[in-house]
Amino acid sequence: MIEHITSSQEDYLEAILLIQKEKKVVRVKDIAEYFIVKGSTVNETLNNLKKRGYIIQEKYGYIELTQKGTRIARNVYRKHTLLTKFIQNILGVSAKTAEDDACKIEHHLSKETLDNILHFIEFTDRELKRKYDIKKNFHEYIHTKLDSK
Amino acid sequence: MIEHITSSQEDYLEAILLIQKEKKVVRVKDIAEYFIVKGSTVNETLNNLKKRGYIIQEKYGYIELTQKGTRIARNVYRKHTLLTKFIQNILGVSAKTAEDDACKIEHHLSKETLDNILHFIEFTDRELKRKYDIKKNFHEYIHTKLDSK
DNA sequence: TAATAAAGTTAGGGAACCCTAATAATAATT
DNA sequence: AATTATTATTAGGGTTCCCTAACTTTATTA
């Protein structure tokens, strides 16, 4: 048996957390719709996650995160949110694309880079805002550039 | 047969381009060392790339990119370089980590985000450098923050 | 409640990646 | 040139992720 968790499996845990927040209970069908895959695919991954103690699910029943699963889900969600904010607010990318990109790269960035992104956000938010209005300048610049294409 | 090229396959093409630049000829062994995988694994992927016309290789011979393969390799390399520069110079991440992260996420970012990163680099390089010295400020800030941990 | 609909599970297959072990071919060395 | 060492290839296995089709269980509703 494999000990290591994959990016896809982390995404499943995050999805379960998000669906739980919104719909109270989580079903195979919800996850299948979330990732736009078939139920049988979800089932397979869930069995894997079950085996390793990240989720609990009775046969034909609802899906729940264990403590272990919740910890990972929250962690992924935090990174996801951070990255989305960065890509959207700092880089000036549209909300939808920022969300998509964040989701794809959240598993692949080192702690060092994530920390620096966090600091970048904090820095631009708190320090630079009044001093130079860099975000405003940058966004104006970006939009001018892109619109003129 | 599948038409779509995977991230890993794109990385192979880029690696072949880089090895070619440095060593004139590209062998299975070079690629295996580059990715730290076994020769048999490389062989398998190369067969796939051959079938689809991205590379040419005679049995037991050197590996060469086709036009089609070169186009993709250069494209990946360009993205890779751009991202490394961004992560290293703008975010202030160490060279090695920036390189690693760039390699991992280069396949997953939308054109929109990449364009904005490019503009960000251009913007900070050309416009802000004299005006506010933001890069310098930011790096000082980051390093103070990180050192104090 | 019985019949239909919806959701979950199982079985069987395919593609990408990765490995080990065995074999074939090429390179290097004595 | 013949032997040894290095490289490349093939064969056989394993995991993840995704699918279709068949089947079971749970929900709905007539």
Side-chain angles (χ1 to χ4, degrees), chain B:
Chain B
M1 211 250 277
I2 297 302
E3 69 313 305
H4 136 284
I5 191 166
T6 68
S7 302
S8 168
Q9 287 160 2
E10 285 188 344
D11 282 338
Y12 268 68
L13 297 177
E14 186 196 20
I16 292 167
L17 184 71
L18 295 176
I19 294 166
Q20 200 175 36
K21 274 185 189 169
E22 202 181 300
K23 306 182 107 178
K24 306 295 178 198
V25 291
V26 183
R27 290 170 304 176
V28 170
K29 193 201 147 216
D30 298 320
I31 301 175
E33 280 169 1
Y34 187 94
F35 291 116
I36 313 177
V37 296
K38 300 301 169 189
S40 54
T41 302
V42 171
N43 205 278
E44 192 172 31
T45 303
L46 292 184
N47 281 333
N48 198 331
L49 292 172
K50 248 179 265 176
K51 255 192 338 201
R52 292 191 256 164
Y54 293 115
I55 61 169
I56 292 174
Q57 179 202 25
E58 286 175 35
K59 250 202 174 183
Y60 295 96
Y62 299 132
I63 296 140
E64 279 170 59
L65 293 168
T66 61
Q67 272 203 315
K68 198 174 152 192
T70 304
R71 190 168 44 71
I72 291 179
R74 289 207 179 120
N75 216 36
V76 172
Y77 179 64
R78 201 181 314 127
K79 278 196 223 171
H80 194 150
T81 307
L82 171 68
L83 281 175
T84 303
K85 186 175 177 186
F86 175 75
I87 296 172
Q88 191 178 342
N89 295 354
I90 310 287
L91 296 180
V93 170
S94 65
K96 175 78 177 64
T97 307
E99 174 69 29
D100 288 350
D101 284 8
C103 181
K104 285 183 205 136
I105 68 175
E106 70 192 349
H107 308 284
H108 304 294
L109 287 175
S110 63
K111 184 164 186 331
E112 183 183 355
T113 298
L114 283 168
D115 281 350
N116 282 23
I117 288 174
L118 180 59
H119 293 142
F120 201 110
I121 291 176
E122 285 170 351
F123 185 57
T124 54
D125 274 4
R126 297 183 195 160
E127 299 298 322
L128 278 186
K129 207 171 180 186
R130 280 194 230 129
K131 274 192 195 166
Y132 310 123
D133 213 7
I134 180 181
K135 269 175 65 181
K136 189 166 163 294
N137 283 343
F138 181 64
H139 284 162
E140 278 170 5
Y141 171 83
I142 281 291
H143 290 137
T144 312
K145 270 281 191 184
L146 293 177
D147 290 348
S148 66
K149 272 193 179 168

Side-chain angles (χ1 to χ4, degrees), chain A residues 29-70:
Chain A
K29 193 201 148 216
D30 298 321
I31 302 175
E33 279 169 1
Y34 187 93
F35 291 115
I36 312 174
V37 296
K38 299 300 169 190
S40 54
T41 303
V42 171
N43 206 278
E44 189 173 32
T45 303
L46 292 183
N47 281 334
N48 198 332
L49 293 171
K50 248 179 262 176
K51 254 192 339 201
R52 293 192 257 162
Y54 292 114
I55 61 169
I56 291 173
Q57 178 202 26
E58 287 175 34
K59 249 201 173 185
Y60 296 97
Y62 298 134
I63 297 140
E64 279 171 57
L65 293 168
T66 61
Q67 272 203 314
K68 198 175 153 192
T70 305

